[in-house]
Amino acid sequence: MYLTRRETFNAAHRLFRPEYTDEQNFEIFGKCSNPNWHGHNYTLYVTVKGDVNPKTGMVVNLKTLSKIIKELVIEKVDHKNLNTEVDFMKGKMASTEMICLAIWDVLERPIREMGAQLHCVRLEETENNFVEFFG
Ligand code: NI
């Protein structure tokens, strides 16, 4: 059984390589290279996989899952600058792909310790652009 929890956050970022000029960065990263930052409203879907516990009728307790996602991810990124303020994004490109990978790394173990398996992290940067990682 697959169970998905949805969370939202908004955060600022900039996609750029410091060794490139602003023009070169714009050429590669487009509007996301704006030197004065900009924000996105992100939507995060965390899907876990496991058997339905016959006693509880649940794969995992959604309240616990939500608490883990909020504490380990949302509280760290919401209303923050992904380039400069988020510990698990230090030294990484603040692209949707890299944020998604970092969130996987943060959540994989705690979800395993809940008795389930992390199946997919889906991160939507806009309603048209999203990534999915299956480990
Ligand atoms: Ni952007």
Side-chain angles (χ1 to χ4, degrees), residues 11-15 29 31-33 38-40 42 94 96 125-126:
H13 81 154
R14 181 189 178 205
L15 295 182
F29 301 111
K31 287 200 288 187
C32 279
S33 72
H38 64 280
H40 292 282
Y42 291 92
T96 319
E125 187 181 74
T126 69

Side-chain angles (χ1 to χ4, degrees), residues 83 87 89-93:
N83 292 74
D87 56 0
M89 288 304 297
K90 278 261 155 64
K92 295 175 183 170
M93 185 72 75

Side-chain angles (χ1 to χ4, degrees), residues 31 47 52 55 61 68 72 76 85 128:
K31 287 200 288 187
T47 302
V52 180
K55 283 187 185 155
N61 189 317
I68 285 173
L72 299 178
K76 294 190 174 181
E85 292 183 285
N128 294 323

Side-chain angles (χ1 to χ4, degrees), residues 59-70:
V59 177
V60 291
N61 189 317
L62 266 173
K63 211 171 133 188
T64 315
L65 180 62
S66 170
K67 189 168 172 272
I68 285 173
I69 300 169
K70 282 193 179 117

